[in-house]
């Protein structure tokens, strides 16, 4: 239940930020990203490590590098191959998997494949391909924002979650 609350609040926060900035931050694959990060944040909270910045940085870097690399290569290959739906869909999934496995600094983050698929569907449907910036914004930027939002919401919600005061104290004292 708490994971669902964190996921819902993170989605709402991202949507509110999008309305405020008048720039697209939310794309459908972020639903999966939000659920992954909400579950991870709640699991970290149970260990008293919600705001462990070293772990957060590592997770964000791996996920963002995986997403940005996969999306960048998908954009490049879409420009080279044209708008053939079958070929682009197959290449996007192969490129997403390959880029995450071949790059040692990225994590294997399956929502990257969904973000690549979204790019392909948009390119095929409109015959206008988004630019290379798609890999960074909304993709990598959105992933990082969702990780931060899920961790922050979980941390702020400690009073409604059955943590002992010693666990909260331990988490606050563990910060460098």
């Amino acid at each position: 239940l708490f994971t669902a609350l964190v996921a819902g609040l993170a989605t709402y926060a991202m949507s509110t930020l999008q309305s405020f900035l008048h720039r697209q931050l939310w794309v459908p694959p972020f639903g999966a990203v939000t659920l992954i990060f909400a579950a991870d944040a709640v699991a970290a909270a149970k260990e008293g490590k919600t705001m462990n910045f070293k772990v957060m940085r590592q997770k964000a870097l791996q996920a963002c590098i995986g997403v940005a690399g996969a999306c960048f290569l998908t954009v490049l290959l879409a420009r080279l191959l044209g708008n053939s739906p079958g070929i682009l869909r197959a290449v996007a999934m192969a490129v997403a998997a390959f880029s995450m496995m071949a790059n040692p600094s990225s994590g294997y983050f399956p929502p990257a494949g969904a973000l690549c698929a979204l790019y392909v569907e948009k390119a095929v449907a409109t015959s206008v391909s988004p630019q290379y910036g798609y890999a960074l914004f909304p993709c990598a930027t959105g992933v990082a924002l969702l990780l931060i939002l899920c961790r922050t919401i979980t941390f702020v919600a400690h009073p409604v979650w059955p943590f002992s005061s010693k666990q909260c104290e331990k988490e606050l004292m563990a910060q460098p």
Side-chain angles (χ1 to χ4, degrees), residues 50-60 147 151:
T50 309
M51 297 302 281
N52 183 326
F53 294 109
K54 183 177 178 182
V55 171
M56 286 173 63
R57 185 173 73 70
Q58 178 187 7
K59 286 180 183 285
L147 182 134
R151 290 291 182 124

Side-chain angles (χ1 to χ4, degrees), residues 44-136:
K46 288 178 181 178
E47 297 173 8
K49 299 177 180 176
T50 309
M51 297 302 281
N52 183 326
F53 294 109
K54 183 177 178 182
V55 171
M56 286 173 63
R57 185 173 73 70
Q58 178 187 7
K59 286 180 183 285
L61 281 174
Q62 287 180 336
C64 290
I65 289 170
V67 165
C71 290
F72 181 82
L73 286 174
T74 298
V75 173
L76 174 67
L77 289 172
R79 289 174 171 268
L80 294 173
L81 298 173
N83 287 344
S84 172
I87 292 172
L88 281 181
R89 288 179 184 124
V91 167
M93 290 307 99
V95 162
F98 176 76
S99 70
M100 290 183 288
M101 291 183 329
N103 185 349
S105 58
S106 78
Y108 197 83
F109 192 65
L115 290 162
C116 292
L118 179 66
Y119 172 86
V120 167
E121 294 309 312
K122 189 170 186 178
V124 168
T126 64
S127 297
V128 177
S129 301
Q131 302 298 315
Y132 289 102
Y134 172 81
L136 297 176

Side-chain angles (χ1 to χ4, degrees), residues 16-31:
T16 302
L17 185 59
Q18 176 175 302
S19 295
F20 178 74
L21 295 175
H22 303 288
R23 181 147 186 182
Q24 184 178 8
L25 292 174
W26 182 265
V27 290
F30 284 165

